[in-house]
Amino acid sequence: MTLAVYGVEIIMILIVADLLLGWVQEDPRMWPRRLSHWLTEPLLIPVRAVVRRLPTGGWDVSPVVLLVCLTLLKVGVLQ
């Protein structure tokens, strides 16, 4: 596998870790969520700007949308 595929997989793992930590620890200013939030938030902000227009019922689905996009990128372009 190429270095780009590894990079995408690391980003995907960080997003899942932040998502799971968000269920356990709501405050993103406390450790260890502070680190995962700091690493993933720059990627999620543009996705939230687009997803905000969709009827999601108040749920933040931006991590799921970003994971789907990264998976499509990994499967379609990088391999």
Side-chain angles (χ1 to χ4, degrees), residues 57-72:
W59 289 76
D60 184 16
V61 294
S62 57
V64 176
V65 171
L66 185 57
L67 284 172
V68 168
C69 291
L70 288 173
T71 303
L72 292 174

